[in-house]
Every structure is written in structure tokens, then in C-alpha cells.
Amino acid sequence: MATPTKAGAALAALREDLVGDVFAPGDAGYDEARVLYNSMIDRRPAVIAQCVDADDVVRAVRFGREVDLPIAVRGGGHSVAGMSLNDGGLVVDLRHMRAVTVHPGAMAVQVAGGATMSELDRACQPYDLATTGGRVSTTGVGGFVLGGGSGWLERLWGLATDNLLGAELVTADGTKVRTSAEENPELFWGLHGGGGNFGVATSLTLRLHELPAFSIAMMFCLPEFGPDVVRTYRDVIEAGPVEAGGGVIYLTGQPEEFMPPQLVGKLLCGALITYAGTEEDLRKLAQPLLALPHEVEIVAQLPYADVQCMLDDPPGLRNYWSAEYLKGLPDDYADVFCAGAAAMPVPSGTLHVLFPEGGAVADGPSEFPVPYRDAPWGMHPFAAWEDPADDEHNIQWVKDVRAAARPWATGDVYLNFIGDEGEERVVAGLGAENTRRLSALKREYDPDNVFRFNHNIKPA
């Protein structure tokens, strides 16, 4: 550990050299700079370096190594476990690095390390292009893609990580590294699910696809109709085209324009079909679902970037999430899933989600460390609430509905959907054989495990 004198001199030098802002405890703006999406997380880093480019990231990482500070990396700040912050360490904050450059002729887009999903989607929208994005607009692109990347269009185009064409990193020794299928290919492989374990991603290049039309069919019904909704939704999706995605969601009715006042604050069962195509074709596909008793119905052709903002989870709530991937969706699990909604905290921001996989996810590159790609369905209990007094109830609800799903679970998991659930779950998210290979890669690029505020892969 550096002496106080050396650390003070190094911090003064960082303030001088960094083009972006540097915050330490006591500085104006420090408390604002350390606020995360999940309000359960309250950590006090020693230094927050708000970088504006890759050179700033190099300066920040070298500073952290010089004074022996643990280093966390913040992109979108959506890590439910608060992995974007630490106590007493350095945070490399990328939120000023948000440029998105679309190359329509090459069907590719270059995304800076701090850009959000909304910025990516909005930049591509004028060209009728898109790539697999998340399910909310405020997610950071970097962590999303490097962690696997599951979203509405994955059944058509594969996981977001399947669309990764190249990346630029700053490694643990402050070196800039480029990687692609041809350049540093082993590192490129590790970025397909290995997250931020190997460096700070300052830029990603992603494959784009044509998306001339995008439509949604969304309906909300009373919870007693939930089992019929789940079964019908399953049958529609499994018999339908890969252009269709979405999910079944139990949630609290929110005060939206389309929501009848008497349903606000009440438990509802919702179903959403997202569709890479026209409203006319979607109506035909969704007809069996829309024939069920329901209180709200929306079928519309909308810009994809607008749809991405529709289910944004608001910041400032307390959050605890988990997930299981399923071998299938038989009727008996459909009943178990619906029964789990009975104990949901209502009213709250909590979601109880069931979503389809398959299609291009299952057909994607089998060599990447994403072992959940073969699962046809996934479930995602997503607890979000305001009062700390409700922590125990909400956390226990997530654990209970996850436990109820285990008889049908594959044992694999998408790490972006969970918090810190221990080393075994990290292995479940990467695969045992992949973890050994990733550990060797970690030893090469980060032998001291500098980048450990993540779903951590220890150096072999």
C-alpha cells in the first residue's frame, strides 16, 4: 500500500493529468458521482476518475496500480450487486465516453465504453438498423455485451455477444489492446461472456442487422387468468417464428395512460410479444393470446428504440434479482410460476418474468462461454422496492421462486441477471470447462486480479 504522502502526490498528479473529472471524499460532486441504480448499494470509493477517452482510462488504471488501490469499473452502473463501486478504492467511471458511430455500409456500429442501450438504439434507428439490445434503455452497452447480452431480438439475431466483432481494452497494466477474431483471438473468445475480468472495455464494435419494422402486442389481465396466459403464450411462441420474442410478466399496475385507474397498484399478469415485422403480421400471430380475457390491449408498430424505453426500471429503488434457465415449460411449471406471483410484494416495482429463448440463441456459436444458450425458457424474479424495512421479504421472495423452479432448471445462468450469489453460480454462468480456460486467460491479462469487482474469474 502506498504511503499517504505518495498517495496524495499521485492523486494530485491524476487531477492534473486526467482530462475528465476526479472526485475524492469531500469534493463537491463526489456523492452524486457515487450514486448507483440500486439504492441498496452505498459505497465510498477513495477516488472516482470520470474518464473522457481511452488515454484517460490508461492514466486512471496506472494511478490505481501505483498507489495499490482496488479498481472497479463503471459503465451503465446497472450491476445489481453494485460491482461498479467499491469502498476505499478507485472507480474508473466511463459515463463521459458515450459516442456511438454507425457504419451502415459495413453493417456495424462502434460504441464507446460508457454508452447506454438507448444511445446505441437511437443512433441506429435512422438507418433502420439494430443489434440485439437489452430490455431497458438505461443499461450500459459494455457490461451488457461482455456479460452475454439477452434481449428482445436474441431469438432472431443471437445474444448480443454473438454480434461482437471487436473490442478495445485497457488491461491491468495500463496497456491498450485491440481484439477480434483475428487479433488476440483467445482474449476475444473470453470477452464473449467473461465480462470485465480482462480489462476496461473502452470501445466495442457490434454487428448490425436490418430492422425495417418492429411491433408489439401487449396485454394485461387479472392474475387468476395467469395460467391460461402462460400456456397460450408458450404455444404461440413455440409454434411461431424467431422474429417473435417478449415474455410473460407479473407486475403491479402502474399509473400509465393506458392503465385503467382501478388497476393501478394491483397485481396483474401481462404478456408481451415483440416482433421484428409489421403490426398486421403480429396481430395474426398474437390472436390466440388476445382472445383470452384481458383488461388492457396494445398492438402497435413502433420504433424499436421507443419500445426499448417502455419497461425501464426506475433508478433509486432497492433491487435484488436472480434467474434460472429451464429445460422446458410444461404445464406443471406454468402453474408453479404463476403461484409464485401470489407472494409478490404489491404494490412495488417488482417483476416476475418468464421469457423465451431458442432460435438464434440456441443456434449460435457453441464455443463461447455462455452455457445457458441451449435452454428454451428462462425465469427472472426481479424484486424492486423502496423501504429498507421490506428487504427481508423481497429477498426471500426471489429466493423462494427461484427454488421452486429448480426441478425444471438446467443449472446454467445468465450472469447479468444475478447479483453476488457465490463462486459456484459464476461457474454455472460460464461452464466448468470454460471457467478453467478463462482462468488461464485471466492469468495472462490480469494475474493480480485487479479487475475483481465483477462476476470474478480468478487467475489460474
Side-chain angles (χ1 to χ4, degrees):
M1 180 67 72
T3 65
T5 301
K6 179 182 178 182
L11 178 57
L14 181 68
R15 290 186 190 273
E16 181 71 23
D17 294 342
L18 205 78
V19 178
D21 297 320
V22 177
F23 296 99
D27 290 346
Y30 169 80
D31 284 329
E32 182 181 356
R34 68 185 182 89
V35 172
L36 287 182
Y37 156 81
N38 184 358
S39 68
M40 289 182 76
I41 310 300
D42 182 21
R43 294 182 180 144
R44 299 186 63 83
V47 180
I48 301 172
Q50 293 191 330
C51 303
V52 301
D53 57 21
D55 289 336
D56 261 4
V57 174
V58 169
R59 297 180 187 107
V61 170
R62 289 179 177 172
F63 160 79
R65 298 306 305 275
E66 179 185 355
V67 298
D68 197 24
L69 286 178
I71 300 175
V73 181
R74 176 169 185 160
H78 259 246
S79 163
V80 70
M83 294 169 179
S84 310
L85 287 189
N86 56 29
D87 279 316
L90 167 67
V91 174
V92 178
D93 188 336
L94 306 180
R95 285 178 293 166
H96 290 314
M97 300 170 59
R98 305 174 83 111
V100 178
T101 305
V102 182
H103 301 285
M107 297 294 285
V109 59
Q110 188 172 19
V111 185
T116 64
M117 200 59 60
S118 178
E119 288 157 341
L120 169 60
D121 296 333
R122 297 282 179 202
C124 296
Q125 188 79 53
Y127 304 97
D128 288 336
L129 299 174
T131 192
T132 301
R135 294 175 173 87
V136 297
S137 69
T138 52
T139 302
V141 176
F144 169 76
V145 173
L146 299 183
S150 171
W152 302 130
L153 291 165
E154 64 190 347
R155 284 169 37 83
L156 178 60
W157 296 333
L159 299 167
T161 201
D162 296 340
N163 292 280
L164 179 64
L165 299 175
E168 298 175 10
L169 306 180
V170 174
T171 57
D173 61 358
T175 301
K176 294 180 185 178
V177 174
R178 297 173 62 91
T179 179
S180 66
E182 295 78 32
E183 190 174 8
N184 298 305
E186 184 70 2
L187 175 59
F188 187 63
W189 170 83
L191 296 181
H192 290 75
N197 272 282
F198 309 107
V200 184
T202 57
S203 177
L204 303 175
T205 300
L206 303 171
R207 181 184 297 109
L208 292 177
H209 308 265
E210 293 183 357
L211 187 64
F214 191 77
S215 304
I216 63 164
M218 183 165 62
M219 53 93 84
F220 295 98
C221 67
L222 300 178
E224 55 262 36
F225 297 107
D228 290 336
V229 170
V230 171
R231 290 181 175 86
T232 304
Y233 183 87
R234 173 199 63 196
D235 295 345
V236 166
I237 291 292
E238 290 185 348
V242 294
E243 285 82 1
V248 176
I249 310 170
Y250 279 93
L251 77 175
T252 299
Q254 301 298 317
E256 305 283 357
E257 288 184 11
F258 58 79
M259 187 65 66
Q262 68 271 20
L263 299 181
V264 173
K266 305 297 185 182
L267 179 66
L268 298 173
C269 178
L272 170 68
I273 299 178
T274 58
Y275 185 70
T278 65
E279 176 185 343
E280 181 182 7
D281 289 342
L282 175 56
R283 281 191 179 276
K284 296 173 187 174
L285 177 69
Q287 192 279 328
L289 193 65
L290 299 176
L292 298 175
H294 57 276
E295 308 298 312
V296 176
E297 175 183 319
I298 300 171
V299 183
Q301 188 167 315
L302 298 167
Y304 171 66
D306 290 354
V307 174
Q308 286 285 71
C309 302
M310 286 179 58
L311 293 176
D312 279 359
D313 32 299
L317 296 177
R318 304 172 75 78
N319 280 258
Y320 186 86
W321 315 341
S322 195
E324 289 288 350
Y325 279 69
L326 308 172
K327 301 169 188 173
L329 184 49
D331 287 351
D332 51 357
Y333 178 67
D335 292 337
V336 168
F337 173 79
C338 295
M344 270 180 62
V346 177
S348 73
T350 293
L351 305 175
H352 187 30
V353 184
L354 182 67
F355 55 92
E357 294 285 290
V361 177
D363 295 338
S366 60
E367 68 270 19
F368 293 150
V370 282
Y372 47 86
R373 82 162 62 244
D374 292 336
W377 292 88
M379 58 83 64
H380 179 31
F382 180 117
W385 67 99
E386 294 185 26
D387 190 345
D390 295 331
D391 286 1
E392 183 177 353
H393 172 64
N394 283 272
I395 292 170
Q396 191 59 52
W397 174 78
V398 170
K399 292 179 176 179
D400 287 346
V401 295
R402 182 191 155 208
R406 283 189 192 131
W408 297 271
T410 66
D412 305 318
V413 66
Y414 170 43
L415 293 176
N416 282 355
F417 272 173
I418 70 171
D420 183 0
E421 296 185 1
E423 189 173 338
E424 287 186 5
R425 286 281 270 175
V426 174
V427 174
L430 300 169
E433 195 62 40
N434 292 328
T435 300
R436 285 187 281 271
R437 182 175 167 186
L438 290 164
S439 293
L441 187 65
K442 179 79 169 180
R443 184 182 65 237
E444 179 180 353
Y445 284 94
D446 185 11
D448 299 322
N449 203 13
V450 171
F451 300 117
R452 59 184 180 273
F453 294 96
N454 45 40
H455 291 294
N456 192 233
I457 300 163
K458 293 181 173 61

